[in-house]
């Protein structure tokens, strides 16, 4: 029962990255357009790298193999994406800024959870 709950928690933590990775994979032109929208370099390559990180890091976390590495990858990815896509401080006061600020801090929480997962996994491996 404990293992099932741990897996369920990890699946919940990775859910947005699995959904995002598969959606981008199924709509690659849309993923490229999203990368271009945010002014990222070489949008095609950036979209492919995003898909790879989201899906492969999630697979590492869920499989338990190099879980710490997958968690650190999604921590770094989440921080980078948050500072690129949720720049609430650059928006005028209002609903859009409010929503972007909420998303920014929620994503900081996700990054923190991935960092804690990496630390937990490394400690668990040594015990």
């Amino acid at each position: 029962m404990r293992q099932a709950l741990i897996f369920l928690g990890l699946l919940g933590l990775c859910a947005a990255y699995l959904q995002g990775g598969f959606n981008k994979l199924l709509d690659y032109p849309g993923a490229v357009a999203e990368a271009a929208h945010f002014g990222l370099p070489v949008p095609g390559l950036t979209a492919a790298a995003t898909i790879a990180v989201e899906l492969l890091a999630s697979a590492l976390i869920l499989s338990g193999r190099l879980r710490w590495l997958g968690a650190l990858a999604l921590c770094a990815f989440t921080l980078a994406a948050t500072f690129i896509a949720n720049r609430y401080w650059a928006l005028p006061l209002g609903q859009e800024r409010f929503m972007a600020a909420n998303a920014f801090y929620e994503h900081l929480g996700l990054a923190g959870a991935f960092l804690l997962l990496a630390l937990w996994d490394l400690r668990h491996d040594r015990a």
Side-chain angles (χ1 to χ4, degrees):
M1 178 67 147
R2 182 177 186 273
Q3 289 303 107
L5 290 175
I6 289 172
F7 183 80
L8 188 60
L10 295 173
L11 184 60
L13 190 58
C14 294
Y17 303 89
L18 291 167
Q19 178 266 343
F22 283 122
N23 279 353
K24 289 174 183 73
L25 188 62
L26 295 173
D27 181 14
Y28 186 70
V32 173
E34 181 182 43
H37 167 78
F38 287 113
L40 298 171
V42 195
L45 184 59
T46 299
T50 297
I51 293 165
V53 168
E54 287 184 321
L55 295 179
L56 294 176
S58 293
L60 291 175
I61 290 170
L62 295 174
S63 72
R65 305 195 104 213
L66 299 174
R67 179 173 283 148
W68 64 270
L69 183 60
L72 287 179
L74 285 182
C75 177
F77 172 81
T78 301
L79 286 173
T82 298
F83 278 95
I84 292 168
N86 295 307
R87 297 169 32 104
Y88 72 91
W89 54 88
L91 298 172
L93 291 175
Q95 185 67 21
E96 186 180 0
R97 180 181 175 134
F98 178 82
M99 297 297 287
N102 281 346
F104 181 88
Y105 289 103
E106 288 171 358
H107 284 87
L108 286 185
L110 274 173
F114 284 121
L115 180 59
L116 290 173
L117 176 59
L119 293 169
W120 175 80
D121 192 59
L122 288 170
R123 182 175 182 198
H124 178 58
D125 280 349
R126 291 189 182 142

